[in-house]
Structure formats: structure tokens, C-alpha cells
Amino acid sequence: MCPVNVTEMPEETLPDIQSLETAENLLKIVSALESPNDHLFPELRSFLQAKGHDMPGRTWPFFLAVGFRKPHIPWKYPKEFRALYPLDSIEIAPNPNIPEKLPSVAWENYYQLRLRDDIKALNLSFPYGTIPLKYHAVMRRGYYAAASYTDYLVGRLLQALEETGHANNTIISLVGDHGWFLGEHGEWCKCSNYELATKVPLLVHVPNVTDSRLSLSPKFPLIDVRQSVRDFRRQHTRKKTVTAMAGGRERFATQRNGLQIEEMVELVDLFPTLTELTRLSAPPICPETSFNITLCTEGVSFVPLIKRTKRFARWKNATFSQYPRPGVEPVRHTDLPALDKITIMGYSMRTRDYHYTEWISFNHTTFERDWSDVKARELYFNEKDPEQNDNVADDAGSEALVKVLSQQLRRGWRDCLPEHK
């Protein structure tokens, strides 16, 4: 946890701020190239003309991927964001204890966090020593503040998109790469197959599709924490989503926008979705054995869900994840094992009603799975046990359900793809 005064940092900046500024500058360059003013970026214009690109004033399609690292550890962020979260307002996880029926192979011992000086100083017993409850709230505050810092950077990026004239003609996707434990199950970090680690944010904005008209006023109004911490906190609490994105969503809410899709999609679906929206060719679906395939995809476009253009007998009915382990019992590098140490793979599947996982033997040399050697199973009921506290896989009466889910898990993602009418 490291709230800082940015003006005291090297070059008076932070890495995520530099990523933002680079993206802002690239948008300015694209906007300038589309301008008929020949005096802007003359060297770049000359270079592009030499490559056979017509100048000036042409439209320049662009793809911009901007990765913000926070709220990844360490939680280093501008200190003013901590004021958004008074310590007495922070609630800790309702399930901070290790579940009785949690398999040892599933335990995420957050070793990378244990290496940090402030956590190391607690002298926790390994591998099942948990962080004392009195520290949970202050740690959560650090995570929340770092997340709001990133929230603000996203707002700045959308503002730059608007200022350079591209808010109404640019597809935007906001996505996280994984979730994060904040004391639930007594765990921290991300290295598991649980819902908290595998469920991620995914927002998509498609001009004239997810909004019904072009915006003449700001589509993505920026709420600046530096103007008023109190006002920012009130707005942030009210919207409970990405601040700048929420502004556009609320603006068009009365016009039947801000569509929330309840169907299941996966991160592998994002690339074919973007290629369809931009009328580019997507790679083919991966075959059963794809080690020698240069390019293929395990995802499907969810454009039909956004546009409501096709009817399906069934959409994708399960999502999948996997995570490796070096053994059944946790060791120092259980959370991030090197390839040559992996002996077990946890394969996990989430359906509408269940979250099911099998931890099985795995050959890290041949990448072969041994479904006959199951080290542990986990089964959670999504509606009854959303916090995944009660593993019922080995309970009496679960045998038939476990058998059905096990067969579906082993058939894999191809068996769960959408079915057209």
C-alpha cells in the first residue's frame, strides 16, 4: 500500500499516467493526420506519403490497446484517491475464514503478496496462515483507491477520444484480465479457478448500436477527483461503474441504451467480436489439436447479442478456465509455478447453475491430461452459494450431478458453443 504525492515521484509521474499520456498523444496524431492542415506533423506526413498513402485529410482507421496496471499490486496511486474511502466506511469480506471443505490443491496461498515488505513483517505461518482481520479494511481501502485511480485514467482516455473527434466513430471495449480476492476464504490475489478470480468486467460501446444517436454534447463527461473529492465520491458511489463510461450510459438510458447482456461470454470471444464489428476476417475455430496451427480462435463473436440480429436455439451454455499447480499440497510457488514444476491442472466450468472444477494429473512436457487421476473436485451452487463457501462435490446426493458435470467439462468448450435455430 503506497499512496504517493505524484509531484515527488521521478519525472513527477507514474507508469499508468505515462501510458495514458502516450495514448492521448497517439490520438492527437491521428486527429492531426485527418486534418487538411499540412503543417501538422510534416515529417510523419512525408513518411506516409512515401509509403503511398494519400494525403491530406483522409480517414485513418486505428487500433489502440491501452493497458493500465492498477489495481495490481503494489497499490501505488496518487494519495488523493485514498480520501474517497474513509477507513470507517470499509467493510471486510463476509467470509474471511478458510472453508472447511476447500481442497488443499485449490488453496491460493498468495505467496507473491507474502513477499511484500508490509505483509512479510506480519510473520504469517505458511501455507495456511491468514492475514489478521484488523488489516483487511486498510488493505481493501488500498485496492479501492487504486481502482478509482484507474477509473479516472479511463475517463481521461475517453475524454481524449472525444476531444480528438472520435467519440462517435470508435468502438470501445473495457475489459479486465482477472478478478481479485480481498480476504474472501482467507485468500488474497488471483491464482485460482474461483468466481472472484475468473469473472471479469467487460463493457463494449459501439456507436449507433449501443447508443441510438450521435452525441452533440459530451458523451463521456469526465469527473475530476482533483476538483472536489467530496463531489467525486458522491458521483462514484452513485454510479458504481466506470465513471466516464457511466456518464454516457446514463445519458442515453432513457433512449433504451446501456444494454446489459445476461448471456455468458468469455474473453476469447472479444477478438472475433471486434473483427466482425470492423468487418475484418476472424481466424477459424481451433481444431481439436492446434499446437501446429499458426492462428485460430476458441471464441465466437457476440455481435448477435449486441445487435439482437439472430435467434439461437441456445447460446453458449458454459464458460471455462484452468489453473496449474505444482502439487496437491501448497508450496512456496503454488500460485505461480514454473512450467517444469506443473504436475496438476485445475479445469473449471461455470454453467448457469453450477461452478464445477476437477484437479487432475497433467504432463507439462506433452501437455496431456489424465482425467482418470482426479486429485480433487469442487462443486458450488451459484444461486444458493454465490460466495463459494460450501464445496458439495463429495457430499452424499451429489454423485449424479457430479457425473453429469464431469462429462460436460471433459467434452470441453466446443460442446458448449451456440446452437442456431
Side-chain angles (χ1 to χ4, degrees):
M1 294 171 286
C2 190
V4 300
N5 184 341
V6 176
T7 61
E8 297 176 357
M9 295 295 100
E11 300 184 29
E12 298 186 0
T13 189
L14 291 172
D16 281 342
I17 294 176
Q18 292 174 317
S19 298
L20 168 67
E21 291 173 345
T22 299
E24 290 174 328
N25 289 332
L26 288 169
L27 288 171
K28 291 176 183 177
I29 291 174
V30 171
S31 181
L33 289 175
E34 294 177 342
S35 168
N37 187 348
D38 289 330
H39 300 293
L40 297 173
F41 301 100
E43 294 182 357
L44 180 58
R45 287 174 178 269
S46 297
F47 171 79
L48 293 171
Q49 285 176 334
K51 295 293 184 179
H53 298 294
D54 295 332
M55 301 289 289
R58 61 164 291 181
T59 299
W60 288 91
F62 64 89
F63 175 84
L64 188 61
V66 185
F68 296 119
R69 186 166 177 81
K70 300 306 164 204
H72 199 284
I73 56 173
W75 296 323
K76 187 174 184 178
Y77 54 86
K79 63 181 182 180
E80 56 264 31
F81 287 91
R82 186 172 58 176
L84 302 175
Y85 302 99
L87 192 57
D88 59 5
S89 71
I90 305 299
E91 296 182 359
I92 68 170
N95 56 339
N97 301 313
I98 301 175
E100 293 183 3
K101 293 183 285 185
L102 183 146
S104 59
V105 69
W107 170 246
E108 204 288 284
N109 58 26
Y110 51 93
Y111 186 65
Q112 296 302 307
L113 196 65
R114 294 172 187 262
L115 295 176
R116 302 285 170 172
D117 290 343
D118 42 8
I119 304 301
K120 186 187 298 184
L122 299 178
N123 293 317
L124 304 175
S125 61
F126 185 87
Y128 293 107
T130 57
I131 294 176
L133 295 181
K134 65 180 180 180
Y135 297 113
H136 284 211
V138 69
M139 292 177 68
R140 283 182 161 233
R141 178 176 65 170
Y143 183 91
Y144 297 162
S148 289
Y149 165 50
T150 300
D151 183 16
Y152 168 70
L153 297 178
V154 172
R156 282 269 307 272
L157 181 60
L158 294 177
Q159 183 184 50
L161 198 69
E162 193 142 36
E163 291 175 349
T164 55
H166 294 101
N168 287 319
N169 64 7
T170 302
I171 298 167
I172 305 166
S173 174
L174 176 69
V175 61
D177 58 343
H178 56 75
W180 194 267
F181 276 84
L182 290 169
E184 296 87 355
H185 293 177
E187 296 179 306
W188 300 79
C189 297
K190 60 183 180 181
C191 304
S192 74
N193 278 312
Y194 288 112
E195 185 96 348
L196 276 173
T198 58
K199 189 174 183 178
V200 299
L202 174 60
L203 290 84
V204 177
H205 168 262
V206 185
N208 298 316
V209 176
T210 58
D211 53 16
S212 60
R213 62 173 176 81
L214 297 180
S215 175
L216 301 179
S217 57
K219 179 179 287 190
F220 306 118
L222 176 68
I223 301 172
D224 191 340
V225 65
R226 295 169 299 182
Q227 295 175 358
S228 170
V229 168
R230 183 177 300 173
D231 290 346
F232 183 87
R233 186 181 178 200
R234 182 170 62 249
Q235 294 279 2
H236 184 84
T237 303
R238 177 171 63 85
K239 291 180 178 178
K240 295 181 187 286
T241 186
V242 176
T243 304
M245 187 70 79
R249 182 167 176 172
E250 286 193 359
R251 179 181 303 278
F252 296 109
T254 58
Q255 300 172 33
R256 302 170 67 183
N257 292 288
L259 174 68
Q260 182 170 333
I261 296 171
E262 299 294 338
E263 302 288 352
M264 289 187 287
V265 297
E266 303 173 273
L267 294 185
V268 292
D269 299 330
L270 183 58
F271 180 56
T273 299
L274 294 178
T275 55
E276 180 174 350
L277 287 170
T278 52
R279 299 183 178 88
L280 299 175
S281 298
I285 291 288
C286 293
E288 287 284 350
T289 302
S290 58
F291 283 106
N292 296 321
I293 303 299
T294 302
L295 184 63
C296 63
T297 180
E298 295 182 5
V300 295
S301 169
F302 53 81
V303 169
L305 298 180
I306 298 175
K307 294 186 175 182
R308 305 289 184 175
T309 55
K310 294 181 181 179
R311 300 184 65 86
F312 295 87
R314 187 207 71 199
W315 184 252
K316 183 180 291 192
N317 65 352
T319 59
F320 295 84
S321 63
Q322 65 185 78
Y323 206 85
R325 289 285 189 254
V328 171
E329 295 299 326
V331 295
R332 297 292 178 184
H333 298 290
T334 285
D335 53 348
L336 294 173
L339 177 60
D340 62 353
K341 303 297 182 183
I342 296 172
T343 64
I344 296 172
M345 188 69 73
Y347 291 96
S348 191
M349 176 184 69
R350 189 196 192 280
T351 69
R352 184 74 63 181
D353 298 319
Y354 310 106
H355 194 128
Y356 179 72
T357 303
E358 288 188 7
W359 298 91
I360 67 173
S361 292
F362 180 82
N363 188 314
H364 62 258
T365 302
T366 63
F367 294 87
E368 293 177 340
R369 302 168 289 185
D370 186 356
W371 291 105
S372 66
D373 187 12
V374 179
K375 307 296 185 182
R377 290 183 172 90
E378 296 177 80
L379 172 60
Y380 304 97
F381 290 80
N382 297 336
E383 183 174 356
K384 184 168 61 176
D385 183 23
E387 296 172 356
Q388 300 186 324
N389 298 321
D390 186 20
N391 174 22
V392 299
D394 295 327
D395 287 7
S398 294
E399 296 90 346
L401 178 58
V402 165
K403 183 177 180 180
V404 171
L405 292 174
S406 178
Q407 291 173 347
Q408 184 179 357
L409 174 66
R410 298 178 188 200
R411 290 195 301 269
W413 58 269
R414 289 179 183 81
D415 191 58
C416 298
L417 294 177
E419 294 179 354
H420 295 272
K421 281 191 174 180

